[in-house]
């Protein structure tokens, strides 16, 4: 096991688990949490043996309850303290980049969400490729009630996941929704009993890890690029990526399938 400040990393059979390790405060986001996220991602990026990542919160009460507001007001412990930044904008971007790096990782990332997933917790989960939830999961974007515009990707990524109207309703009101509603609106892809969540996450991760990594990584690049590109440009990138990645795949399986 690797320890990165407030984040742990475990690796087994081509699969890495990134674990938010602040269970006493519902895995709320601190300066160490941000630093640990970045360090864990850099470790994964440098290890070609890792094919899939599962992201989860330590304990049984929360995935991540958002920003640790108590830390924000404590001198020397705020996530903004100790960073060489010129403006608040730079500080926000530094935090946001620690989330975005998981979206940019070459390997697929699965979020296994139990308990509270609030504010920054949703913003982290939105950087994952696939989101699974336990039936006890609770989601909300409470920033507006605190006088904050969601600024770690929530205002930009949430509409892409659930549509502009639903995203606006969630952000404007800060209303909490349960796992069933999160599934209905497309915020998560599957809901499982709490006792089955991690087994299902591992089952999915193992299924993905069994595919040639050049193929899964090529697919991630194509889909992520297509989400922000004109169709023709996305199609051209799809073709170019396929020509590169397929040569690493097993074409004999295609031949066997045509017999």
């Amino acid at each position: 096991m690797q320890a990165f400040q407030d984040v742990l990393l475990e690796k087994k059979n081509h699969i890495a688990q990134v674990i938010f390790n602040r269970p006493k405060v519902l895995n709320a986001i601190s300066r160490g949490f941000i630093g640990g996220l970045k360090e864990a991602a850099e470790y994964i990026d440098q290890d070609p043996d890792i094919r899939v990542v599962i992201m989860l919160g330590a304990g049984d009460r929360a995935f991540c309850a958002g920003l640790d507001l108590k830390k924000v007001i404590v001198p020397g412990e705020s996530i903004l303290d100790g960073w060489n930044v010129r403006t608040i904008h730079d500080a926000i971007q530094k935090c946001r980049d620690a989330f975005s790096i998981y979206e940019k990782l070459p390997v697929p990332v699965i979020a296994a969400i139990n308990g509270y997933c609030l504010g920054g917790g949703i913003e982290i989960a939105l950087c994952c490729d696939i989101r699974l939830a336990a039936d006890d999961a609770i989601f909300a974007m409470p920033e507006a009630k605190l006088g904050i515009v969601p600024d770690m990707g929530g205002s930009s990524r949430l509409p892409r996941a659930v549509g502009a109207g639903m995203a606006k309703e969630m952000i404007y009101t800060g209303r909490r929704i349960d796992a069933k509603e999160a599934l209905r609106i497309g915020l998560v892809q599957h809901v499982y009993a709490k006792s089955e969540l991690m087994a299902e996450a591992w089952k999915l991760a193992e299924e993905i890890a069994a595919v040639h990594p050049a193929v899964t990584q090529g697919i991630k690049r194509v889909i992520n690029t297509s989400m922000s590109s004109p169709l023709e440009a996305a199609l051209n990138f799809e073709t170019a990526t396929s020509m590169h990645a397929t040569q690493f795949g097993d074409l004999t399986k295609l031949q066997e399938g045509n017999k």
Side-chain angles (χ1 to χ4, degrees):
M1 179 185 293
Q2 301 288 329
F4 302 103
Q5 300 184 60
D6 290 330
V7 174
L8 303 176
L9 186 145
E10 296 179 342
K11 176 184 166 185
K12 180 181 178 182
N13 299 335
H14 302 299
I15 298 168
Q17 285 193 146
V18 173
I19 306 167
F20 311 149
N21 192 33
R22 304 189 74 219
K24 292 182 179 179
V25 290
L26 304 180
N27 300 312
I29 298 167
S30 63
R31 185 172 59 189
F33 185 110
I34 295 291
L37 270 184
K38 183 174 182 292
E39 291 167 4
E42 290 170 347
Y43 181 95
I44 293 164
D45 195 37
Q46 295 299 314
D47 187 346
D49 189 54
I50 295 174
R51 298 185 178 187
V52 185
V53 174
I54 301 173
M55 185 177 284
L56 64 147
D60 61 359
R61 298 172 60 203
F63 176 74
C64 172
L67 185 65
D68 189 338
L69 297 177
K70 293 182 180 179
K71 291 288 187 182
V72 169
I73 62 174
V74 177
E77 295 189 20
S78 168
I79 60 173
L80 304 181
D81 292 333
W83 285 350
N84 185 23
V85 294
R86 294 181 177 85
T87 66
I88 292 295
H89 177 278
D90 292 344
I92 291 171
Q93 185 168 351
K94 192 177 183 74
C95 294
R96 191 189 70 214
D97 288 349
F99 297 0
S100 296
I101 194 170
Y102 286 87
E103 185 175 61
K104 297 174 183 176
L105 278 178
V107 299
V109 182
I110 300 166
I113 303 166
N114 70 292
Y116 293 106
C117 183
L118 311 177
I122 290 183
E123 291 173 312
I124 295 171
L126 288 169
C127 292
C128 299
D129 298 279
I130 301 169
R131 291 172 292 280
L132 312 180
D135 54 10
D136 73 332
I138 298 294
F139 301 86
M141 296 290 290
E143 287 90 340
K145 291 184 175 181
L146 300 172
I148 301 170
V149 173
D151 52 18
M152 305 294 178
S155 301
S156 301
R157 290 192 177 97
L158 188 60
R160 288 170 166 80
V162 304
M166 184 57 68
K168 289 175 181 177
E169 180 178 337
M170 286 185 66
I171 295 171
Y172 292 162
T173 66
R175 186 182 303 145
R176 294 186 176 189
I177 63 172
D178 59 18
K180 183 178 179 180
E181 178 68 1
L183 177 64
R184 187 189 71 81
I185 65 176
L187 181 55
V188 301
Q189 281 67 62
H190 299 281
V191 174
Y192 300 106
K194 183 176 181 178
S195 61
E196 299 173 1
L197 176 64
M198 289 312 302
E200 293 293 339
W202 270 90
K203 185 188 300 183
L204 176 59
E206 289 169 348
E207 188 174 356
I208 295 171
V211 178
H212 197 288
V215 175
T216 55
Q217 292 172 29
I219 291 167
K220 178 169 180 173
R221 287 196 302 272
V222 168
I223 294 176
N224 283 358
T225 299
S226 71
M227 295 297 290
S228 59
S229 302
L231 179 58
E232 190 63 28
L235 289 170
N236 289 335
F237 183 71
E238 178 183 86
T239 299
T241 302
S242 177
M243 290 174 64
H244 172 73
T246 301
Q247 65 181 307
F248 295 101
D250 188 355
L251 294 181
T252 60
K253 291 183 179 180
L254 292 177
Q255 296 169 349
E256 290 171 359
N258 290 330
K259 289 180 181 180

